[in-house]
Amino acid sequence: MPRPSLVASLLRPAAVSAGLLLSGLVAVAGAPTVSQLRCGYRSSPLGVQQSAPNLSWELQADHRNARQSAYRVLVADDEKLLARNQGNVWDSQKTASAASIQVPYAGPALQATKTYYWKVMVWDDRQQASAWSPAARWQMGLLTAADWRGARWIAYDQLPAEHVNVLPVDGKKDTYLGGNVLPLLRKDFTVKKKLRRATAYVCGLGQFELRLNGQKVGDHFLDPAWTKYDQHAQYVTFDVTEQLRTGANAVGVMLGNGFYYVPPVKGRFRKLKAAFGLPKLLCRLVLDYQDGAQENVVSDASWQTAPGPVTFSSIYGGEDYDARREQPGWDAPRFRATNAWKPVVLVDGPAQLDAQQAEPLKVHEQFKPQHISQPQPGKFVYDFGQNASGIVELQVQGRAGDTVRLAPAELLGAGGLVTQKNSGGPYYFTYVLRGAGVETWRPRFSYYGFRYAQLEGGVPAGETNPKNRPVVLALTMLHTRNAAPEVGAFSCSNELLNKTNTLIDWSVRSNMASVFTDCPHREKLGWQEQNHLMGSSIRYRYDIAALSRKVIQDLQVSQLASGLVPEIAPEFVKFEWGGDMFRDSPEWGSSAILLPWYVYQWYGDRQQLAQSYPMMQRYAAYLATKANGHILTQGLGDWYDLGPKPPGVSQLTPMGVTGTAIYYYDLTTLGAVARLLGKSEDAGQYERLAAEVRAAFNAKFFNPATKQYATGSQAANAVAVYMGLVAPEHKAAVIENLVRDIQSRHNALTAGDIGYRYVLRVLEDAGRSDVIFAMNSRTDVPGYGYQLAQGATALTESWAALPTVSNNHLMLGHLQEWLYGALAGIRPAAGSVAFDQIDIRPEPVGDVTAARATHLSPYGLIGSEWQKTATGFELTATIPVGATATVYLPAASAAAITESGQALGQHPELKLLGVEGGRARIAVGSGTYRFVAQPLE
């Protein structure tokens, strides 16, 4: 079942933890309740790949300071046994533990394709037992090659070996040209008796659409997740029980190219020229009958194939569809195949297959056109009002053979026509009508980032149509993105900050796909610096635990034998312009070390940390081979900072500053990871090397007279402070230099892709959120406000919203972390794992008079809502069961604070930790609290 609506919980903060005491009055405590059972981050998942999946649940209690003291997990392979409280697979027995997340299954080996049912009982800190939770389930995936039961890779055709290119180099000329067949594949089969369950395991490369008995299966888009296909691919699991019937059935699959094959077709955009092979399919359909028998339908030589109505498919060039080539009933039983159908070809495919366990891409918001113009005769431009990743849905009527072309774009050029000059073009969708009434179509295998769509060959309904062209009855923009659940919401009294939050959020949405892309049009590549730099901002808003696991796997697979982690993962292209600067930059590759660590800190995923440790070690060893006197100077530096030249490679911060600083941070992080994993000898080695790097960094870049690092840029001073490179006696002076530089520019920023997050973090940690507010309250200099003033509806690639670069880009959205963590005040405390320790520490700044945020952590919902009133400062804080918090309030003394209308002394469950510098600290446990602090004198 879905987790609670974040919007509703934000608007009703007192209701976030049902049953919690809000008044502070003593009441008789009831038993805890258990809900939101999850296996490997998901509710009732299919295709579980882990041999010992992690189990999690949430607790609710009707009293404050509630904690779990023990749990009991039952796992059965039969729902009826579980209902009788029999865990015939695993019974953990009553286990004394506060753990309610990442609890590893510890029973006998799990079997491929089998479904397991489970539930939990817990005991709280008063030894009161809960009732059993509602039952949940998970279904295992295919764990070994043998589990595919003889399924073969099948295709319409095979790419000649001389055309295979798994790592193209940019700028190389084509050796051949031409499109490829986008096939339909089908097979009839019989369901012989009553089904208990039917499960499909499908890998269709590059992308696929599964169909059963004439209907699409599921609501996914662009399955499977894209990977480095020469080494591994992912399959997708579907429960298809309801789509099958006793007797005759048929399975059909449509295939598109995706990143697996970028066809060399002239007149269509290609950022890169990957050619892993032509589209192919591997499939196992498991029929589990009610009598216990099992039957399998697998992809093999008995399948038939034919060209489909999709005539062109390119992740970079768009999609063409000829409805005249449709074959009604091709995916249903008793289809009479024409001589266009032929037996499939047996081919080879990726050696390693894993279950797709991150959320799929889906269609989300839909946008109707806000305005339709006709800048030139026969060319109509639809404005949907929002720049986002997506596709179009076309509703049209006309004659057979009439052709409609739709070109999506972010921006308009001269004369009001769309321009793809800086987002990658030509990219377009083409639809050829079949001429049978109203026809509705949407692309299946490609997407773009756009706000506008230019129509040619058709006429919008209501417009004059002297040439009797097809009539476009409706054109809708469909936003597509990864279906990672929303787990955060933010708002405040300052409208510019609210609009900035929305601006950033649309760039995040648009670039959450199978990877975190840089942009949703020109490249669609997984540039790695944003995974660690933007990660916290994204995690406040979306649950990306499962997607992060997938990204980490991409890093592991893309790592070279030398230990180098490329800047792009999966690595679909090798950029050689500028040497290796676009392949080997420590600020990018360090995601291999930092992302697993951050995933542990936010989600408690120690299993992923342990699995990533060899990759982390190899990358650190590689960096050591590249260092000259412990200094790393390769790469891109503070990419897209604001210097005198057009944005690109670092201009204000010398090469070596950010690369060496992050190298040091990698080593200190690895030392912490090693100690956590019980590898003390490794930890000592990393700590000693880190000390040497720190000394070398300060010797080269620190000026003890001016207390400046390198050129004194915002990025240089900020990274030195954040990474812990500054000697304690100099830290305050370096921070003051940072503040002075910002203020000397009338609160304008200069830091780029790498440096800006650290500028924010250092200022926040130093108690200078006032400077952050001042920097981000301007609309007249490059920054978020400036982008909004230029009409941007998603975060742009450059601070100045230049039309010459991408206008939907992920990399500069670091302020969102400050909005949630500082302005609203929800932060993980030092040493916290999965928000088990929380700081509720709002930073009221500038003209902001109120802010509120929620974040659904692994333990449950955290809320912080504050406002300034005539009577003082009001703060409502919600802490989930399983967590503790320190609440910070502006107050001169404890006597100035009340909670739920009563003095602190009347609340034995609250502990005053102290009052210093006009700020009180109060330790709290789970519950919802309403504090009021009298105004400071």
Side-chain angles (χ1 to χ4, degrees), residues 46-47 139 197-203 208-210 212 217-220 223 235-241 243 284-286 356 360:
L46 304 175
Q139 185 172 359
R197 178 173 293 104
T199 309
Y201 301 89
V202 184
C203 180
F208 73 88
E209 180 176 290
L210 174 66
L212 282 169
V217 175
D219 59 355
H220 298 186
D223 275 338
Y235 65 87
V236 187
T237 309
F238 300 95
D239 183 340
V240 297
T241 310
Q243 287 188 247
R284 177 187 173 191
L285 175 58
V286 183
Q356 177 174 295

PDB file of all heavy atoms in Angstrom, residues 46-47 139 197-203 208-210 212 217-220 223 235-241 243 284-286 356 360:
ATOM      1  N   LEU A  46       8.270  -7.368  -6.428  1.00  0.00           N
ATOM      2  CA  LEU A  46       8.490  -8.521  -7.299  1.00  0.00           C
ATOM      3  C   LEU A  46       9.945  -8.531  -7.730  1.00  0.00           C
ATOM      4  O   LEU A  46      10.602  -7.499  -7.778  1.00  0.00           O
ATOM      5  CB  LEU A  46       7.595  -8.431  -8.530  1.00  0.00           C
ATOM      6  CG  LEU A  46       6.084  -8.297  -8.303  1.00  0.00           C
ATOM      7  CD1 LEU A  46       5.374  -8.086  -9.638  1.00  0.00           C
ATOM      8  CD2 LEU A  46       5.535  -9.517  -7.593  1.00  0.00           C
ATOM      9  N   GLY A  47      10.453  -9.705  -8.058  1.00  0.00           N
ATOM     10  CA  GLY A  47      11.807  -9.802  -8.601  1.00  0.00           C
ATOM     11  C   GLY A  47      12.901  -9.479  -7.614  1.00  0.00           C
ATOM     12  O   GLY A  47      13.912  -8.883  -7.979  1.00  0.00           O
ATOM     13  N   GLN A 139       8.222 -11.404  -3.767  1.00  0.00           N
ATOM     14  CA  GLN A 139       8.421 -12.512  -4.691  1.00  0.00           C
ATOM     15  C   GLN A 139       9.840 -12.479  -5.209  1.00  0.00           C
ATOM     16  O   GLN A 139      10.339 -11.425  -5.616  1.00  0.00           O
ATOM     17  CB  GLN A 139       7.435 -12.452  -5.854  1.00  0.00           C
ATOM     18  CG  GLN A 139       7.523 -13.676  -6.785  1.00  0.00           C
ATOM     19  CD  GLN A 139       6.409 -13.698  -7.815  1.00  0.00           C
ATOM     20  OE1 GLN A 139       5.563 -12.821  -7.840  1.00  0.00           O
ATOM     21  NE2 GLN A 139       6.406 -14.707  -8.668  1.00  0.00           N
ATOM     22  N   ARG A 197      -1.010 -18.119  -9.774  1.00  0.00           N
ATOM     23  CA  ARG A 197      -0.259 -16.903 -10.059  1.00  0.00           C
ATOM     24  C   ARG A 197       0.467 -17.073 -11.390  1.00  0.00           C
ATOM     25  O   ARG A 197       0.896 -18.178 -11.743  1.00  0.00           O
ATOM     26  CB  ARG A 197       0.760 -16.605  -8.954  1.00  0.00           C
ATOM     27  CG  ARG A 197       1.610 -15.354  -9.217  1.00  0.00           C
ATOM     28  CD  ARG A 197       2.481 -14.987  -8.024  1.00  0.00           C
ATOM     29  NE  ARG A 197       1.664 -14.553  -6.888  1.00  0.00           N
ATOM     30  CZ  ARG A 197       1.411 -15.296  -5.817  1.00  0.00           C
ATOM     31  NH1 ARG A 197       1.935 -16.509  -5.732  1.00  0.00           N
ATOM     32  NH2 ARG A 197       0.657 -14.841  -4.851  1.00  0.00           N
ATOM     33  N   ALA A 198       0.612 -15.961 -12.101  1.00  0.00           N
ATOM     34  CA  ALA A 198       1.417 -15.956 -13.327  1.00  0.00           C
ATOM     35  C   ALA A 198       2.365 -14.769 -13.264  1.00  0.00           C
ATOM     36  O   ALA A 198       1.947 -13.644 -12.954  1.00  0.00           O
ATOM     37  CB  ALA A 198       0.524 -15.858 -14.562  1.00  0.00           C
ATOM     38  N   THR A 199       3.637 -15.022 -13.539  1.00  0.00           N
ATOM     39  CA  THR A 199       4.666 -13.989 -13.417  1.00  0.00           C
ATOM     40  C   THR A 199       5.506 -13.955 -14.689  1.00  0.00           C
ATOM     41  O   THR A 199       5.948 -15.011 -15.169  1.00  0.00           O
ATOM     42  CB  THR A 199       5.584 -14.259 -12.218  1.00  0.00           C
ATOM     43  OG1 THR A 199       4.786 -14.481 -11.048  1.00  0.00           O
ATOM     44  CG2 THR A 199       6.520 -13.095 -11.975  1.00  0.00           C
ATOM     45  N   ALA A 200       5.720 -12.759 -15.209  1.00  0.00           N
ATOM     46  CA  ALA A 200       6.563 -12.594 -16.395  1.00  0.00           C
ATOM     47  C   ALA A 200       7.880 -11.949 -15.996  1.00  0.00           C
ATOM     48  O   ALA A 200       7.894 -10.945 -15.269  1.00  0.00           O
ATOM     49  CB  ALA A 200       5.852 -11.738 -17.434  1.00  0.00           C
ATOM     50  N   TYR A 201       8.977 -12.539 -16.461  1.00  0.00           N
ATOM     51  CA  TYR A 201      10.321 -11.987 -16.282  1.00  0.00           C
ATOM     52  C   TYR A 201      10.833 -11.635 -17.677  1.00  0.00           C
ATOM     53  O   TYR A 201      11.019 -12.520 -18.517  1.00  0.00           O
ATOM     54  CB  TYR A 201      11.243 -12.998 -15.609  1.00  0.00           C
ATOM     55  CG  TYR A 201      10.758 -13.460 -14.253  1.00  0.00           C
ATOM     56  CD1 TYR A 201       9.921 -14.562 -14.118  1.00  0.00           C
ATOM     57  CD2 TYR A 201      11.138 -12.783 -13.093  1.00  0.00           C
ATOM     58  CE1 TYR A 201       9.470 -14.981 -12.876  1.00  0.00           C
ATOM     59  CE2 TYR A 201      10.697 -13.196 -11.840  1.00  0.00           C
ATOM     60  CZ  TYR A 201       9.858 -14.298 -11.741  1.00  0.00           C
ATOM     61  OH  TYR A 201       9.415 -14.706 -10.502  1.00  0.00           O
ATOM     62  N   VAL A 202      11.055 -10.336 -17.930  1.00  0.00           N
ATOM     63  CA  VAL A 202      11.295  -9.889 -19.304  1.00  0.00           C
ATOM     64  C   VAL A 202      12.489  -8.941 -19.349  1.00  0.00           C
ATOM     65  O   VAL A 202      12.584  -7.991 -18.569  1.00  0.00           O
ATOM     66  CB  VAL A 202      10.056  -9.163 -19.871  1.00  0.00           C
ATOM     67  CG1 VAL A 202      10.289  -8.789 -21.333  1.00  0.00           C
ATOM     68  CG2 VAL A 202       8.805 -10.015 -19.724  1.00  0.00           C
ATOM     69  N   CYS A 203      13.367  -9.181 -20.295  1.00  0.00           N
ATOM     70  CA  CYS A 203      14.422  -8.227 -20.646  1.00  0.00           C
ATOM     71  C   CYS A 203      14.342  -8.016 -22.152  1.00  0.00           C
ATOM     72  O   CYS A 203      14.630  -8.938 -22.924  1.00  0.00           O
ATOM     73  CB  CYS A 203      15.806  -8.737 -20.256  1.00  0.00           C
ATOM     74  SG  CYS A 203      17.128  -7.570 -20.676  1.00  0.00           S
ATOM     75  N   PHE A 208      11.404  -2.151 -24.100  1.00  0.00           N
ATOM     76  CA  PHE A 208      10.345  -3.054 -24.552  1.00  0.00           C
ATOM     77  C   PHE A 208       8.995  -2.641 -24.005  1.00  0.00           C
ATOM     78  O   PHE A 208       8.893  -1.929 -23.002  1.00  0.00           O
ATOM     79  CB  PHE A 208      10.644  -4.510 -24.148  1.00  0.00           C
ATOM     80  CG  PHE A 208      10.464  -4.792 -22.674  1.00  0.00           C
ATOM     81  CD1 PHE A 208       9.231  -5.176 -22.152  1.00  0.00           C
ATOM     82  CD2 PHE A 208      11.533  -4.683 -21.791  1.00  0.00           C
ATOM     83  CE1 PHE A 208       9.071  -5.427 -20.789  1.00  0.00           C
ATOM     84  CE2 PHE A 208      11.386  -4.940 -20.434  1.00  0.00           C
ATOM     85  CZ  PHE A 208      10.152  -5.316 -19.930  1.00  0.00           C
ATOM     86  N   GLU A 209       7.966  -3.113 -24.682  1.00  0.00           N
ATOM     87  CA  GLU A 209       6.601  -3.033 -24.170  1.00  0.00           C
ATOM     88  C   GLU A 209       6.015  -4.433 -24.240  1.00  0.00           C
ATOM     89  O   GLU A 209       5.937  -5.034 -25.312  1.00  0.00           O
ATOM     90  CB  GLU A 209       5.749  -2.071 -24.989  1.00  0.00           C
ATOM     91  CG  GLU A 209       4.314  -1.953 -24.476  1.00  0.00           C
ATOM     92  CD  GLU A 209       3.504  -0.914 -25.237  1.00  0.00           C
ATOM     93  OE1 GLU A 209       3.796   0.284 -25.070  1.00  0.00           O
ATOM     94  OE2 GLU A 209       2.597  -1.301 -25.997  1.00  0.00           O
ATOM     95  N   LEU A 210       5.616  -4.957 -23.085  1.00  0.00           N
ATOM     96  CA  LEU A 210       5.046  -6.305 -22.991  1.00  0.00           C
ATOM     97  C   LEU A 210       3.536  -6.225 -23.138  1.00  0.00           C
ATOM     98  O   LEU A 210       2.892  -5.363 -22.535  1.00  0.00           O
ATOM     99  CB  LEU A 210       5.414  -6.929 -21.637  1.00  0.00           C
ATOM    100  CG  LEU A 210       4.784  -8.297 -21.314  1.00  0.00           C
ATOM    101  CD1 LEU A 210       5.306  -9.381 -22.264  1.00  0.00           C
ATOM    102  CD2 LEU A 210       5.075  -8.675 -19.858  1.00  0.00           C
ATOM    103  N   LEU A 212      -0.145  -8.731 -23.420  1.00  0.00           N
ATOM    104  CA  LEU A 212      -0.794 -10.034 -23.249  1.00  0.00           C
ATOM    105  C   LEU A 212      -2.255  -9.922 -23.656  1.00  0.00           C
ATOM    106  O   LEU A 212      -2.975  -9.016 -23.191  1.00  0.00           O
ATOM    107  CB  LEU A 212      -0.711 -10.504 -21.795  1.00  0.00           C
ATOM    108  CG  LEU A 212       0.626 -11.090 -21.325  1.00  0.00           C
ATOM    109  CD1 LEU A 212       0.636 -11.254 -19.818  1.00  0.00           C
ATOM    110  CD2 LEU A 212       0.903 -12.426 -22.014  1.00  0.00           C
ATOM    111  N   VAL A 217       0.896  -4.599 -20.628  1.00  0.00           N
ATOM    112  CA  VAL A 217       1.085  -5.024 -19.245  1.00  0.00           C
ATOM    113  C   VAL A 217       1.700  -3.870 -18.458  1.00  0.00           C
ATOM    114  O   VAL A 217       2.769  -3.370 -18.802  1.00  0.00           O
ATOM    115  CB  VAL A 217       1.994  -6.263 -19.163  1.00  0.00           C
ATOM    116  CG1 VAL A 217       2.274  -6.629 -17.706  1.00  0.00           C
ATOM    117  CG2 VAL A 217       1.348  -7.436 -19.895  1.00  0.00           C
ATOM    118  N   GLY A 218       1.026  -3.451 -17.391  1.00  0.00           N
ATOM    119  CA  GLY A 218       1.574  -2.437 -16.505  1.00  0.00           C
ATOM    120  C   GLY A 218       1.522  -1.040 -17.088  1.00  0.00           C
ATOM    121  O   GLY A 218       0.966  -0.794 -18.168  1.00  0.00           O
ATOM    122  N   ASP A 219       2.120  -0.099 -16.346  1.00  0.00           N
ATOM    123  CA  ASP A 219       2.125   1.305 -16.743  1.00  0.00           C
ATOM    124  C   ASP A 219       3.538   1.870 -16.814  1.00  0.00           C
ATOM    125  O   ASP A 219       3.746   3.065 -16.685  1.00  0.00           O
ATOM    126  CB  ASP A 219       1.282   2.137 -15.768  1.00  0.00           C
ATOM    127  CG  ASP A 219       1.775   2.045 -14.329  1.00  0.00           C
ATOM    128  OD1 ASP A 219       2.719   1.249 -14.059  1.00  0.00           O
ATOM    129  OD2 ASP A 219       1.233   2.758 -13.465  1.00  0.00           O
ATOM    130  N   HIS A 220       4.520   1.008 -17.029  1.00  0.00           N
ATOM    131  CA  HIS A 220       5.908   1.454 -17.088  1.00  0.00           C
ATOM    132  C   HIS A 220       6.202   2.124 -18.422  1.00  0.00           C
ATOM    133  O   HIS A 220       5.515   1.915 -19.422  1.00  0.00           O
ATOM    134  CB  HIS A 220       6.864   0.269 -16.917  1.00  0.00           C
ATOM    135  CG  HIS A 220       6.744  -0.427 -15.607  1.00  0.00           C
ATOM    136  ND1 HIS A 220       7.614  -1.435 -15.227  1.00  0.00           N
ATOM    137  CD2 HIS A 220       5.878  -0.285 -14.578  1.00  0.00           C
ATOM    138  CE1 HIS A 220       7.278  -1.876 -14.027  1.00  0.00           C
ATOM    139  NE2 HIS A 220       6.221  -1.196 -13.618  1.00  0.00           N
ATOM    140  N   ASP A 223      11.114   0.583 -20.079  1.00  0.00           N
ATOM    141  CA  ASP A 223      11.731  -0.583 -19.456  1.00  0.00           C
ATOM    142  C   ASP A 223      12.678  -1.233 -20.447  1.00  0.00           C
ATOM    143  O   ASP A 223      12.409  -1.234 -21.650  1.00  0.00           O
ATOM    144  CB  ASP A 223      10.659  -1.619 -19.078  1.00  0.00           C
ATOM    145  CG  ASP A 223      10.025  -1.368 -17.728  1.00  0.00           C
ATOM    146  OD1 ASP A 223      10.649  -0.681 -16.912  1.00  0.00           O
ATOM    147  OD2 ASP A 223       8.912  -1.859 -17.500  1.00  0.00           O
ATOM    148  N   TYR A 235      16.307  -7.180 -15.951  1.00  0.00           N
ATOM    149  CA  TYR A 235      15.006  -7.673 -16.392  1.00  0.00           C
ATOM    150  C   TYR A 235      13.938  -7.112 -15.470  1.00  0.00           C
ATOM    151  O   TYR A 235      14.207  -6.667 -14.356  1.00  0.00           O
ATOM    152  CB  TYR A 235      14.967  -9.208 -16.410  1.00  0.00           C
ATOM    153  CG  TYR A 235      15.111  -9.862 -15.057  1.00  0.00           C
ATOM    154  CD1 TYR A 235      14.004 -10.093 -14.237  1.00  0.00           C
ATOM    155  CD2 TYR A 235      16.358 -10.273 -14.581  1.00  0.00           C
ATOM    156  CE1 TYR A 235      14.133 -10.695 -12.986  1.00  0.00           C
ATOM    157  CE2 TYR A 235      16.502 -10.867 -13.338  1.00  0.00           C
ATOM    158  CZ  TYR A 235      15.381 -11.080 -12.552  1.00  0.00           C
ATOM    159  OH  TYR A 235      15.508 -11.667 -11.313  1.00  0.00           O
ATOM    160  N   VAL A 236      12.709  -7.100 -15.956  1.00  0.00           N
ATOM    161  CA  VAL A 236      11.588  -6.534 -15.219  1.00  0.00           C
ATOM    162  C   VAL A 236      10.589  -7.639 -14.922  1.00  0.00           C
ATOM    163  O   VAL A 236      10.335  -8.510 -15.769  1.00  0.00           O
ATOM    164  CB  VAL A 236      10.914  -5.397 -16.018  1.00  0.00           C
ATOM    165  CG1 VAL A 236       9.851  -4.701 -15.174  1.00  0.00           C
ATOM    166  CG2 VAL A 236      11.958  -4.391 -16.486  1.00  0.00           C
ATOM    167  N   THR A 237      10.028  -7.601 -13.732  1.00  0.00           N
ATOM    168  CA  THR A 237       9.097  -8.630 -13.265  1.00  0.00           C
ATOM    169  C   THR A 237       7.686  -8.063 -13.211  1.00  0.00           C
ATOM    170  O   THR A 237       7.471  -6.968 -12.685  1.00  0.00           O
ATOM    171  CB  THR A 237       9.501  -9.129 -11.871  1.00  0.00           C
ATOM    172  OG1 THR A 237      10.893  -9.490 -11.887  1.00  0.00           O
ATOM    173  CG2 THR A 237       8.680 -10.339 -11.469  1.00  0.00           C
ATOM    174  N   PHE A 238       6.736  -8.806 -13.754  1.00  0.00           N
ATOM    175  CA  PHE A 238       5.338  -8.394 -13.751  1.00  0.00           C
ATOM    176  C   PHE A 238       4.457  -9.522 -13.211  1.00  0.00           C
ATOM    177  O   PHE A 238       4.656 -10.691 -13.568  1.00  0.00           O
ATOM    178  CB  PHE A 238       4.850  -8.075 -15.174  1.00  0.00           C
ATOM    179  CG  PHE A 238       5.594  -6.978 -15.860  1.00  0.00           C
ATOM    180  CD1 PHE A 238       6.653  -7.269 -16.713  1.00  0.00           C
ATOM    181  CD2 PHE A 238       5.224  -5.651 -15.691  1.00  0.00           C
ATOM    182  CE1 PHE A 238       7.330  -6.257 -17.374  1.00  0.00           C
ATOM    183  CE2 PHE A 238       5.900  -4.631 -16.343  1.00  0.00           C
ATOM    184  CZ  PHE A 238       6.963  -4.926 -17.188  1.00  0.00           C
ATOM    185  N   ASP A 239       3.492  -9.172 -12.392  1.00  0.00           N
ATOM    186  CA  ASP A 239       2.425 -10.105 -12.015  1.00  0.00           C
ATOM    187  C   ASP A 239       1.351  -9.983 -13.080  1.00  0.00           C
ATOM    188  O   ASP A 239       0.698  -8.935 -13.214  1.00  0.00           O
ATOM    189  CB  ASP A 239       1.864  -9.736 -10.641  1.00  0.00           C
ATOM    190  CG  ASP A 239       0.795 -10.717 -10.158  1.00  0.00           C
ATOM    191  OD1 ASP A 239       0.212 -11.444 -10.989  1.00  0.00           O
ATOM    192  OD2 ASP A 239       0.527 -10.752  -8.942  1.00  0.00           O
ATOM    193  N   VAL A 240       1.164 -11.043 -13.869  1.00  0.00           N
ATOM    194  CA  VAL A 240       0.227 -10.989 -15.001  1.00  0.00           C
ATOM    195  C   VAL A 240      -0.952 -11.924 -14.804  1.00  0.00           C
ATOM    196  O   VAL A 240      -1.639 -12.279 -15.769  1.00  0.00           O
ATOM    197  CB  VAL A 240       0.968 -11.310 -16.322  1.00  0.00           C
ATOM    198  CG1 VAL A 240       2.030 -10.246 -16.606  1.00  0.00           C
ATOM    199  CG2 VAL A 240       1.608 -12.692 -16.286  1.00  0.00           C
ATOM    200  N   THR A 241      -1.197 -12.326 -13.561  1.00  0.00           N
ATOM    201  CA  THR A 241      -2.259 -13.292 -13.272  1.00  0.00           C
ATOM    202  C   THR A 241      -3.597 -12.847 -13.854  1.00  0.00           C
ATOM    203  O   THR A 241      -4.323 -13.651 -14.458  1.00  0.00           O
ATOM    204  CB  THR A 241      -2.393 -13.485 -11.760  1.00  0.00           C
ATOM    205  OG1 THR A 241      -1.108 -13.738 -11.195  1.00  0.00           O
ATOM    206  CG2 THR A 241      -3.315 -14.650 -11.439  1.00  0.00           C
ATOM    207  N   GLN A 243      -4.296 -10.949 -16.333  1.00  0.00           N
ATOM    208  CA  GLN A 243      -4.382 -10.753 -17.773  1.00  0.00           C
ATOM    209  C   GLN A 243      -4.424 -12.060 -18.552  1.00  0.00           C
ATOM    210  O   GLN A 243      -4.544 -12.040 -19.781  1.00  0.00           O
ATOM    211  CB  GLN A 243      -3.211  -9.886 -18.268  1.00  0.00           C
ATOM    212  CG  GLN A 243      -3.376  -8.426 -17.865  1.00  0.00           C
ATOM    213  CD  GLN A 243      -2.339  -7.517 -18.489  1.00  0.00           C
ATOM    214  OE1 GLN A 243      -1.497  -6.971 -17.803  1.00  0.00           O
ATOM    215  NE2 GLN A 243      -2.401  -7.346 -19.797  1.00  0.00           N
ATOM    216  N   ARG A 284      10.784 -15.169 -19.664  1.00  0.00           N
ATOM    217  CA  ARG A 284      10.245 -16.369 -19.037  1.00  0.00           C
ATOM    218  C   ARG A 284       8.912 -16.006 -18.389  1.00  0.00           C
ATOM    219  O   ARG A 284       8.855 -15.109 -17.551  1.00  0.00           O
ATOM    220  CB  ARG A 284      11.194 -16.940 -17.981  1.00  0.00           C
ATOM    221  CG  ARG A 284      10.617 -18.170 -17.263  1.00  0.00           C
ATOM    222  CD  ARG A 284      11.463 -18.644 -16.101  1.00  0.00           C
ATOM    223  NE  ARG A 284      10.771 -19.708 -15.359  1.00  0.00           N
ATOM    224  CZ  ARG A 284      11.160 -20.186 -14.172  1.00  0.00           C
ATOM    225  NH1 ARG A 284      12.250 -19.700 -13.594  1.00  0.00           N
ATOM    226  NH2 ARG A 284      10.465 -21.137 -13.574  1.00  0.00           N
ATOM    227  N   LEU A 285       7.854 -16.689 -18.798  1.00  0.00           N
ATOM    228  CA  LEU A 285       6.526 -16.506 -18.223  1.00  0.00           C
ATOM    229  C   LEU A 285       6.213 -17.758 -17.394  1.00  0.00           C
ATOM    230  O   LEU A 285       6.145 -18.867 -17.931  1.00  0.00           O
ATOM    231  CB  LEU A 285       5.495 -16.327 -19.335  1.00  0.00           C
ATOM    232  CG  LEU A 285       4.025 -16.240 -18.941  1.00  0.00           C
ATOM    233  CD1 LEU A 285       3.784 -15.093 -17.977  1.00  0.00           C
ATOM    234  CD2 LEU A 285       3.154 -16.086 -20.196  1.00  0.00           C
ATOM    235  N   VAL A 286       6.063 -17.574 -16.095  1.00  0.00           N
ATOM    236  CA  VAL A 286       5.860 -18.684 -15.167  1.00  0.00           C
ATOM    237  C   VAL A 286       4.375 -18.818 -14.857  1.00  0.00           C
ATOM    238  O   VAL A 286       3.748 -17.866 -14.374  1.00  0.00           O
ATOM    239  CB  VAL A 286       6.652 -18.470 -13.859  1.00  0.00           C
ATOM    240  CG1 VAL A 286       6.489 -19.674 -12.941  1.00  0.00           C
ATOM    241  CG2 VAL A 286       8.114 -18.219 -14.160  1.00  0.00           C
ATOM    242  N   GLN A 356      15.457  -5.558 -12.147  1.00  0.00           N
ATOM    243  CA  GLN A 356      15.279  -4.113 -12.002  1.00  0.00           C
ATOM    244  C   GLN A 356      14.532  -3.887 -10.691  1.00  0.00           C
ATOM    245  O   GLN A 356      13.344  -4.167 -10.585  1.00  0.00           O
ATOM    246  CB  GLN A 356      14.476  -3.559 -13.180  1.00  0.00           C
ATOM    247  CG  GLN A 356      14.181  -2.072 -13.077  1.00  0.00           C
ATOM    248  CD  GLN A 356      13.514  -1.528 -14.316  1.00  0.00           C
ATOM    249  OE1 GLN A 356      14.107  -1.508 -15.391  1.00  0.00           O
ATOM    250  NE2 GLN A 356      12.265  -1.091 -14.196  1.00  0.00           N
ATOM    251  N   PRO A 360      10.372   2.019 -11.771  1.00  0.00           N
ATOM    252  CA  PRO A 360      10.415   2.250 -13.216  1.00  0.00           C
ATOM    253  C   PRO A 360      10.108   3.701 -13.544  1.00  0.00           C
ATOM    254  O   PRO A 360       9.677   4.480 -12.692  1.00  0.00           O
ATOM    255  CB  PRO A 360       9.295   1.334 -13.728  1.00  0.00           C
ATOM    256  CG  PRO A 360       8.292   1.357 -12.613  1.00  0.00           C
ATOM    257  CD  PRO A 360       9.112   1.382 -11.332  1.00  0.00           C
TER     258      PRO A 360
END
